[in-house]
Amino acid sequence: MPKLPSILIGAAVYVLLGLTASVLNAMGPPISFIAGLLSCVAILVGAMVGVWHFTNTHQLTISAGQGAGLGVSVGLVGALISGVLGLALIAAGVLPDPVEAAIEQARAMGQTEEQIDMARSMTEIFAGPVGIAFGLVIGALFGAAGGAIGAAIFKKGEPDRV
């Protein structure tokens, strides 16, 4: 049974919620805390939607392990798309430069120049390919959890024996 449509639908939900979180994050504290939570919830919900779509389309029940596998796929695809799209939106000026935002935030908090330099260097590390790699790991972990939860919730027909 083809899982790709379910993976893409779940990833689309993840990306849309993740982009909403990115926009909220740009608003600064305390909204950025809520944005961080929404980022994690985005992965869980995207994986659950992917499992829901798969079980509903094929009218079957899948095991928690199968749900976790589907969720990992949703998390990886969603993280990759979110990472690349986020970098493109930053480059286009739609989203603020995370390095500049970190510097502004550090200055607003009254941090020393040494602390500001540390914030800059840490943000530079995570604002590029390392951030995307980190996002893939987090996407896979939270996706597995969301997929397993989705498999427990969205049961249809007979268990899948694949």
Side-chain angles (χ1 to χ4, degrees), residues 86-147:
L87 290 175
L89 291 173
I90 290 166
V94 175
L95 290 175
D97 182 336
V99 175
E100 293 302 317
I103 292 169
E104 282 181 33
Q105 185 176 359
R107 285 197 174 117
M109 294 171 58
Q111 294 183 347
T112 66
E113 284 303 314
E114 184 177 306
Q115 291 170 320
I116 292 170
D117 286 341
M118 184 179 290
R120 176 188 297 116
S121 63
M122 289 300 294
T123 305
E124 286 172 347
I125 289 170
F126 284 100
V130 171
I132 292 176
F134 184 72
L136 288 169
V137 171
I138 297 300
L141 293 173
F142 277 81

Side-chain angles (χ1 to χ4, degrees), residues 1-15 42-60 62 66-67 69-78 81 143 147 154 160:
M1 284 175 258
K3 294 181 181 173
L4 184 60
S6 301
I7 292 167
L8 294 177
I9 289 170
V13 169
Y14 168 11
V15 169
I43 304 168
L44 291 170
V45 170
M48 290 172 67
V49 167
V51 169
W52 166 81
H53 181 266
F54 184 74
T55 59
N56 195 50
T57 299
H58 300 290
Q59 290 297 305
L60 51 80
I62 60 175
Q66 291 169 312
L70 185 61
V72 166
S73 297
V74 168
L76 290 172
V77 170
I81 293 169
F154 304 116
D160 185 17

